Amino acid sequence: MDIEFDFKGDPLGGVISNYLLEKSRVVKQPRGERNFHIFYQLLSGASEDTLKKLKLDRDFSKYNYLSLDSATVNGLDDAANFRTVRNAMQIVGFMEDEVQSVLELVAAVLKLGNIEFKPESRCNGFDESRVKDKNDLKEMCELLGTEQTVLERAFSYRTVEAKMEKVSTTLNVAQAYYARDALAKNLYSRLFSWLVTRINESIKAQTKARHKVMGVLDIYGFEIFEDNSFEQFIINYCNEKLQQIFIELTLREEQEEYIREGIEWTNIEYFNNAIICDLIENNQNGILAMLDEECLRPGTVTDDTFLDKLNTVCAEHQHFESRLSKNSKFLTDHSLPHSCFRIQHYAGKVLYRVEGFVDKNNDLLYRDLSQAMYKANHSLIKQLFPEGNPAKVNLKRPLTAGFQFKASVGTLMRNLQTKNPNYIRCIKPNDKKAAHIFTESLVCHQVRYLGLMENVRVRRAGYAFRQAYEPCLERYKMLCKQTWPHWRGPAREGVEVLMADRQVPTEEFAYGRSKIFIRNPRTLFFLEERRRRCLQDLATLIQKIYRGWKCRTHFLLLKQSQVVVAAWYRRYAQQKKYQNIKSATIMVQSFARGWKARKILRELKYQKRCKEAVTTIAAYWHGTQARVELRRLKQEARNKRAVTVIWAYWQGTKARRELKRLKEEARRKHAVAVIWAYWLGLKVRREYRKFFRANAGRKIYDFIIQRIMQKYFLGLKSSMPSMSPVDKNWPARSYLFLDGAHTALRRIFHLWRCKKYRSQFTEEKKAVYEEKLEASEIFKDKKALYPSSVSQPFKGDYLEISKNPKYQKLNSTVDEKVLLADVVNKINRANGKGAARIFLLTKNSFVLADQKTGQVKASVPLPDLTSISVSTQKDGFFALKLKEGSASAAKGDFLLSSEHLIEIITKLHRTGAMAADGDQLNIDISDEFLVQFKQDKVCVKFVQGSPKNGNGVSCKRKNNRLLEVSVP
């Protein structure tokens, strides 16, 4: 695992490299060992509901792939470890559906081990296999989402394809079990590789710049079991390669460096295991090369033929031993069986049994099984088995396991050679895996074969520290006055002057051609201690100079401030003195002016009283004269009015007498007219009495009906409801026989007022109401923001883009009519913050432009828009999802937020349907949806929460695969 650090030493991210998984452990475990931990953790720690969904049982004995003798380990809590695994997956950023998919595949591997086969004879004499109990097969197919018949046929038949031919052969029981185990191993191995890739996506460093990297390599331990097979062979091969690079980097290269630098050195002998690595990995005569050659050659290939070939080619090799080798020197060695060979590794001799070498190296997964897996509906299976795609059939033979592991080891060696490795050697104290037991012979054996003795001798005879002259001088130059602060000559001479000045003994160091070598760590510690003291002195000097500068600056600032304060105070004192003198002068002036004004006032008041006395006397005189004249005029007026009243009374009496005469005459004429009218009526009644009695009933009925109808219509006219189409009021009918007419009139009146109401609409108003109606169909009872948008009219152009001179350049770039213009926020996936963008919608596309400059950032045709995702809550976030493979989808989907979300999505829905020839745009309303950002899919999750910093809706990045939107 490579961990990347920044300049402060904080980890930024990392990358995990998987070189080879021991997938044979899935189907078979060595004695005393268990299968992979996840199987036991799942059965022990999962809830009953989870186990029910996965169709599993807690009993380990029900699964053939689990080793029962090591199912439980003391001090290991599988249930707690399972909870830790689930929590770790959540922290890394796994989605719930991804976790469920992984657990389903793990359960499928367990179910796969329970599938058993029985032989069945055919008419042609060949045997074929059939599944004994189809219950486990059915449950596994349900977990993987594949058809049971397809997978059952893949276990019973194998299809071999040539150039233009296909041959289908039956599988016997042994071959069926091999196919089952191969599928289980590949399924688990590919799931493990997918997990490593998925974790790398979450923990990788976000910055592109390369920083300090530290790698941690967890290597295989050297394995020597009672029964060693192909897995132990390749693991021990990896240990040989690691031992070889350890020898090269710690023993050979260090001694060569002393010779290269001209340091006097006595060579120390050590064992170089390159000859053992060549025995295994030689491209022509190596064991892996011969194993691949046996797997690829035609004819009958068995483990015995492979062993015969090893006996033929490697018999003379000093590190290879076999009972059947040509030199027959091991014929009497009864510890070496006939079907085995022995290799003398650097850690000792290991006996390998060749049984299963060819099959395990082939690691062949039949094409029928790959295609059956590819047909599954499971979300992960298609990614794990891409070779099962019928459109991409590859007729080449797959690479062998040995070749893949050899390539992985080569990659690991190249990676280690580019680094500066440090080794931690672990010594195994005993073979019993118990504490407080120390086996001396075992420890001595490990110390010998690990080369620790040679390494200690090289370290003891050599130099503990070495460094180039330039960095050494740069680090320790402050220890000498001649080299501090700058040395003008060559770096080596500066180092020599430095070491002479510090009086370091000559036997403690040596000068090489490009480096200085220090033998004892005490010398290095001495230099580091002196450097630390010098750095403290330099820090003190810097602090002294800085503090002096700071105090001088503070004093000058205080002095300047004192001058300013004194100037302001003097100004204030003079202003205060001037104000006092001015106020005293004004006070004296006011008193003088007051005395003078009061004197003038007294004189004016005396003159005014004299004038008022004369005016009062004249007024009284004129009043007396006026009252005498008034009394005279009133007497004359009373005399004239008395004559007028007497004349008026005479005229009234005369008029009343004439009126009485005229009324008497009118009464006589009226009496004559009344008597004549009664006489004529009597004659008419006598003449028509016989006709009136026959038709009176009908005429009275018609007259009453007519009067009732007239009264009904007049009442209806006076109580008519309003002209609003939503007004459901209607006057009640007064008679039962008017019920039909009453209902018909109500319907006619409603249709008439609806027509009058519609005739008032313009085309623009009709379009607005149609948009409102479509918004109701999309969002009513689905989006919490919809009720607040009902009363808001759809304005469309909120920016007045055609009139605003600020957007004149942007308006000129859009050829079509703008249906909607508004400011939205484009959400950044890195931090969840929004950037203001102008959103323009036309009949055929939508445009995103920068709000400040008006520059077009993106222009997307509406046919490339596949769907829109919004939440059910009161936020304004929405995601525009683009068609995969289109030019617009190169940078991924758009995650936006707007205050006019209902109007924007409604207009997009209407316009998108017209642009796509009637295909409706999909509106997804959910609190959790995925958004494609370039190559990564990010989940946007809406949760209820309290707003932070007074804001409403807040968006926060949880990890690389999750954005959380908190809605109050």
Side-chain angles (χ1 to χ4, degrees):
M1 178 178 181
D2 290 338
I3 306 173
E4 193 168 340
F5 298 89
D6 61 5
F7 70 96
K8 298 180 297 183
D10 295 334
L12 297 175
V15 176
I16 301 174
S17 301
N18 174 31
Y19 290 100
L20 186 65
L21 179 70
E22 189 186 357
K23 57 186 178 182
S24 62
R25 184 180 291 269
V26 176
V27 299
K28 185 179 179 181
Q29 302 87 38
R31 183 180 301 173
E33 295 192 14
R34 62 182 348 203
N35 207 324
F36 289 103
H37 296 303
I38 186 61
F39 297 117
Y40 305 97
Q41 293 172 359
L42 175 61
L43 297 178
S44 299
S47 62
E48 295 294 340
D49 186 34
T50 303
L51 291 178
K52 185 177 180 181
K53 290 181 181 178
L54 300 177
K55 308 180 187 306
L56 295 177
D57 196 299
R58 292 196 189 276
D59 189 2
F60 296 157
S61 61
K62 293 185 178 181
Y63 303 101
N64 297 333
Y65 279 164
L66 299 184
S67 176
L68 297 181
D69 55 348
S70 300
T72 56
V73 179
N74 294 331
L76 191 63
D77 188 353
D78 290 323
N81 290 338
F82 179 74
R83 291 190 293 270
T84 304
V85 170
R86 289 293 301 266
N87 186 38
M89 295 178 76
Q90 184 178 2
I91 292 173
V92 170
F94 278 79
M95 308 285 292
E96 284 298 328
D97 56 344
E98 291 178 333
V99 176
Q100 185 64 25
S101 299
V102 171
L103 295 181
E104 287 173 354
L105 293 188
V106 173
V109 173
L110 288 176
K111 289 290 182 182
L112 192 59
N114 290 347
I115 298 177
E116 297 181 349
F117 303 93
K118 60 182 180 180
E120 185 174 308
S121 300
R122 301 182 64 185
C123 57
N124 55 6
F126 291 98
D127 290 339
E128 66 174 290
S129 63
R130 285 286 182 267
V131 178
K132 282 185 180 180
D133 185 5
K134 297 184 179 181
N135 186 35
D136 289 322
L137 178 63
K138 178 183 177 182
E139 292 180 349
M140 192 195 75
C141 291
E142 291 176 356
L143 288 173
L144 298 181
T146 185
E147 295 183 7
Q148 181 178 349
T149 55
V150 174
L151 191 57
E152 186 176 1
R153 176 175 174 79
F155 282 137
S156 302
Y157 294 90
R158 178 187 178 188
T159 303
V160 180
E161 296 185 18
K163 292 183 179 180
M164 300 297 293
E165 297 180 355
K166 287 186 178 181
V167 178
S168 180
T169 60
T170 60
L171 300 179
N172 56 30
V173 173
Q175 292 171 334
Y177 277 115
Y178 173 81
R180 181 201 68 178
D181 293 343
L183 178 59
K185 291 187 291 185
N186 277 273
L187 186 59
Y188 189 87
S189 174
R190 297 183 187 198
L191 175 61
F192 184 83
S193 301
W194 179 87
L195 281 171
V196 172
T197 304
R198 176 65 181 80
I199 293 172
N200 286 338
E201 292 178 0
S202 298
I203 66 174
K204 66 181 179 181
Q206 298 299 321
T207 58
K208 296 182 180 179
R210 189 69 173 172
H211 297 83
K212 297 288 185 180
V213 176
M214 180 180 72
V216 179
L217 175 63
D218 184 11
I219 66 174
Y220 301 102
F222 199 91
E223 294 187 353
I224 305 176
F225 298 138
E226 295 180 3
D227 187 7
N228 300 294
S229 186
F230 179 75
E231 294 82 6
Q232 285 70 42
F233 175 74
I234 58 177
I235 289 173
N236 293 340
Y237 161 61
C238 179
N239 280 276
E240 289 284 356
K241 294 294 290 183
L242 291 172
Q243 176 69 11
Q244 184 182 18
I245 196 172
F246 169 74
I247 292 172
E248 291 180 355
L249 295 177
T250 60
L251 299 177
R252 184 173 60 83
E253 285 194 4
E254 185 164 357
Q255 297 189 75
E256 290 178 355
E257 183 180 18
Y258 293 148
I259 298 172
R260 186 170 58 249
E261 291 289 334
I263 304 297
E264 183 178 354
W265 178 257
T266 301
N267 191 35
I268 296 176
E269 297 295 333
Y270 58 88
F271 173 69
N272 192 345
N273 67 332
I275 186 172
I276 303 176
C277 296
D278 183 70
L279 170 65
I280 298 174
E281 67 179 2
N282 189 284
N283 292 329
Q284 295 180 355
N285 298 326
I287 296 176
L288 288 177
M290 287 185 286
L291 181 59
D292 289 345
E293 183 179 344
E294 279 295 301
C295 293
L296 297 177
R297 74 174 178 83
T300 303
V301 177
T302 62
D303 298 320
D304 294 332
T305 59
F306 166 63
L307 182 59
D308 292 339
K309 191 161 190 175
L310 288 182
N311 293 332
T312 304
V313 178
C314 303
E316 303 298 331
H317 199 283
Q318 57 182 342
H319 292 276
F320 178 83
E321 301 174 4
S322 174
R323 185 74 175 269
L324 301 179
S325 58
K326 289 184 177 180
N327 54 16
S328 67
K329 62 181 178 179
F330 299 107
L331 286 176
T332 59
D333 188 359
H334 298 289
S335 65
L336 186 60
H338 289 277
S339 61
C340 299
F341 65 92
R342 187 158 52 202
I343 295 179
Q344 186 174 357
H345 291 281
Y346 76 93
K349 294 182 179 181
V350 181
L351 181 68
Y352 297 103
R353 189 178 299 276
V354 296
E355 181 182 355
F357 260 63
V358 175
D359 290 338
K360 293 176 181 178
N361 187 52
N362 273 326
D363 194 22
L364 184 61
L365 180 66
Y366 297 147
R367 186 176 291 112
D368 301 78
L369 291 172
S370 299
Q371 293 177 353
M373 291 296 102
Y374 188 80
K375 293 178 182 177
N377 296 326
H378 198 273
S379 57
L380 279 184
I381 291 296
K382 287 184 182 294
Q383 302 178 35
L384 301 183
F385 293 89
E387 75 276 8
N389 188 355
K392 300 179 181 180
V393 175
N394 187 6
L395 299 180
K396 293 183 179 180
R397 186 179 182 89
L399 299 176
T400 61
F403 183 85
Q404 296 178 35
F405 188 76
K406 180 181 176 182
S408 299
V409 171
T411 304
L412 175 61
M413 296 301 110
R414 289 189 294 272
N415 190 10
L416 290 177
Q417 288 173 355
T418 60
K419 304 291 191 302
N420 182 21
N422 295 278
Y423 293 90
I424 300 175
R425 286 298 191 181
C426 299
I427 303 298
K428 183 178 175 183
N430 58 77
D431 288 328
K432 300 180 181 180
K433 299 180 182 179
H436 308 296
I437 298 177
F438 192 84
T439 306
E440 183 178 356
S441 59
L442 178 63
V443 173
C444 292
H445 176 66
Q446 294 177 79
V447 169
R448 280 195 300 274
Y449 76 67
L450 289 175
L452 297 182
M453 299 299 295
E454 293 83 355
N455 191 19
V456 170
R457 283 198 292 271
V458 170
R459 291 296 184 185
R460 183 176 294 175
Y463 295 87
F465 177 76
R466 68 218 59 190
Q467 192 175 27
Y469 291 119
E470 288 79 4
C472 181
L473 180 63
E474 185 66 26
R475 184 170 181 83
Y476 300 110
K477 63 181 180 180
M478 72 284 297
L479 303 181
C480 178
K481 294 182 178 179
Q482 302 177 29
T483 58
W484 177 259
H486 299 291
W487 173 259
R488 303 299 179 186
R492 174 169 179 169
E493 295 180 3
V495 173
E496 292 175 353
V497 171
L498 174 65
M499 301 301 283
D501 183 74
R502 290 291 92 195
Q503 298 180 358
V504 179
T506 55
E507 64 272 9
E508 290 294 328
F509 64 91
Y511 295 111
R513 292 187 177 90
S514 61
K515 297 179 182 179
I516 180 173
F517 293 81
I518 298 176
R519 183 182 302 279
N520 200 317
R522 289 195 303 271
T523 305
L524 181 63
F525 297 155
F526 167 74
L527 294 176
E528 286 292 330
E529 178 63 22
R530 298 296 302 172
R531 179 177 180 273
R532 185 183 64 80
R533 295 178 183 177
C534 287
L535 289 178
Q536 289 180 353
D537 296 339
L538 290 174
T540 304
L541 179 62
I542 294 171
Q543 290 175 352
K544 180 185 72 173
I545 296 173
Y546 170 74
R547 288 168 181 160
W549 170 84
K550 186 177 180 181
C551 290
R552 285 192 296 275
T553 304
H554 183 62
F555 169 75
L556 293 175
L557 180 62
L558 290 177
K559 184 178 180 181
Q560 182 180 3
S561 302
Q562 186 270 336
V563 172
V564 173
V565 170
W568 277 91
Y569 176 75
R570 286 193 292 271
R571 174 187 174 188
Y572 168 77
Q574 292 297 323
Q575 286 178 345
K576 191 71 174 176
K577 183 178 179 181
Y578 168 75
Q579 292 292 340
N580 293 334
I581 295 173
K582 183 177 179 181
S583 61
T585 304
I586 293 173
M587 183 67 68
V588 172
Q589 291 176 350
S590 64
F591 273 102
R593 292 191 187 100
W595 173 80
K596 189 175 181 180
R598 285 191 295 275
K599 182 179 179 182
I600 295 172
L601 179 61
R602 284 194 298 271
E603 294 176 356
L604 292 175
K605 283 183 177 181
Y606 177 76
Q607 294 176 5
K608 182 179 179 182
R609 282 197 297 272
C610 293
K611 289 181 181 180
E612 289 177 353
V614 173
T615 303
T616 302
I617 294 170
Y620 271 100
W621 167 249
H622 290 302
T624 303
Q625 293 293 324
R627 283 190 293 275
V628 172
E629 183 66 20
L630 178 62
R631 281 194 295 270
R632 188 183 63 78
L633 292 176
K634 283 183 177 182
Q635 186 64 36
E636 290 180 359
R638 279 195 294 271
N639 296 334
K640 288 181 180 180
R641 187 173 180 278
V643 175
T644 303
V645 170
I646 295 169
W647 174 254
Y649 269 100
W650 163 246
Q651 289 292 335
T653 303
K654 190 177 179 180
R656 282 190 294 274
R657 289 176 182 175
E658 183 66 20
L659 177 62
K660 185 177 181 182
R661 186 186 63 80
L662 291 174
K663 284 182 177 181
E664 184 68 25
E665 185 177 355
R667 278 195 296 272
R668 292 193 191 101
K669 289 181 180 180
H670 180 67
V672 173
V674 170
I675 294 169
W676 178 250
Y678 270 97
W679 164 247
L680 290 178
L682 181 61
K683 284 181 69 176
V684 170
R685 284 192 296 274
R686 289 176 180 176
E687 183 69 23
Y688 291 97
R689 183 172 295 167
K690 54 184 178 180
F691 301 105
F692 178 77
R693 290 177 179 173
N695 299 321
R698 182 64 182 174
K699 288 185 178 181
I700 293 172
Y701 174 78
D702 292 339
F703 175 78
I704 293 173
I705 293 298
Q706 184 178 1
R707 290 297 298 170
I708 289 174
M709 293 293 291
Q710 184 180 5
K711 183 179 179 181
Y712 168 72
F713 283 115
L714 291 175
L716 195 62
K717 178 182 178 182
S718 61
S719 60
M720 194 67 68
S722 65
M723 293 295 292
S724 175
V726 297
D727 188 2
K728 297 184 179 180
N729 295 325
W730 186 250
R733 54 172 174 73
S734 55
Y735 296 94
L736 185 62
F737 73 92
L738 295 175
D739 194 12
H742 189 73
T743 305
L745 286 173
R746 181 176 183 178
R747 177 177 174 276
I748 293 170
F749 175 76
H750 180 69
L751 294 176
W752 172 74
R753 69 180 176 183
C754 288
K755 180 179 179 182
K756 296 289 285 185
Y757 186 78
R758 289 195 301 271
S759 64
Q760 299 174 3
F761 287 175
T762 61
E763 292 297 328
E764 292 79 5
K765 198 170 182 180
K766 286 182 180 179
V768 170
Y769 275 93
E770 288 176 356
E771 289 177 353
K772 284 287 186 178
L773 181 60
E774 190 162 347
S776 175
E777 294 176 354
I778 296 173
F779 295 106
K780 188 175 181 181
D781 299 329
K782 299 177 184 177
K783 178 75 174 172
L785 185 65
Y786 171 72
S788 61
S789 69
V790 174
S791 60
Q792 299 177 0
F794 286 176
K795 185 177 179 182
D797 189 0
Y798 291 92
L799 304 180
E800 296 183 352
I801 192 168
S802 59
K803 300 178 182 179
N804 196 336
K806 180 180 178 181
Y807 305 117
Q808 184 176 3
K809 180 179 178 181
L810 178 60
N811 189 26
S812 62
T813 59
V814 181
D815 299 333
E816 301 172 328
K817 179 182 177 181
V818 176
L819 303 179
L820 185 141
D822 192 12
V823 176
V824 301
N825 287 325
K826 182 177 180 293
I827 306 302
N828 187 357
R829 158 232 188 136
N831 52 20
K833 295 183 179 179
R837 294 286 186 269
I838 297 175
F839 183 86
L840 302 180
L841 176 63
T842 64
K843 290 184 178 180
N844 296 317
S845 64
F846 68 87
V847 178
L848 287 174
D850 189 84
Q851 186 185 14
K852 296 181 179 179
T853 62
Q855 181 181 0
V856 175
K857 295 294 184 179
S859 179
V860 180
L862 289 181
D864 290 348
L865 183 62
T866 59
S867 63
I868 304 175
S869 295
V870 297
S871 73
T872 62
Q873 304 186 35
K874 292 185 179 181
D875 59 281
F877 284 73
F878 63 98
L880 302 180
K881 298 186 178 181
L882 306 181
K883 185 186 297 181
E884 294 185 3
S886 63
S888 306
K891 294 184 178 180
D893 302 335
F894 296 98
L895 181 59
L896 310 172
S897 68
S898 172
E899 296 179 355
H900 306 101
L901 178 138
I902 302 298
E903 181 178 356
I904 291 176
I905 295 182
T906 303
K907 289 183 179 290
L908 278 172
H909 188 263
R910 287 174 58 85
T911 312
M914 292 187 288
D917 298 331
D919 292 340
Q920 292 292 334
L921 191 63
N922 185 23
I923 307 296
D924 179 22
I925 302 177
S926 174
D927 284 341
E928 185 174 346
F929 51 81
L930 295 177
V931 181
Q932 182 79 27
F933 285 108
K934 291 186 178 179
Q935 302 299 325
D936 299 330
K937 286 189 177 180
V938 177
C939 176
V940 182
K941 187 175 182 180
F942 295 81
V943 297
Q944 293 286 340
S946 59
K948 295 182 179 179
N949 300 326
N951 297 328
V953 181
S954 63
C955 183
K956 184 178 180 183
R957 170 177 173 264
K958 287 295 185 181
N959 50 55
N960 288 348
R961 303 293 293 263
L962 180 61
L963 281 176
E964 186 175 275
V965 180
S966 179
V967 183

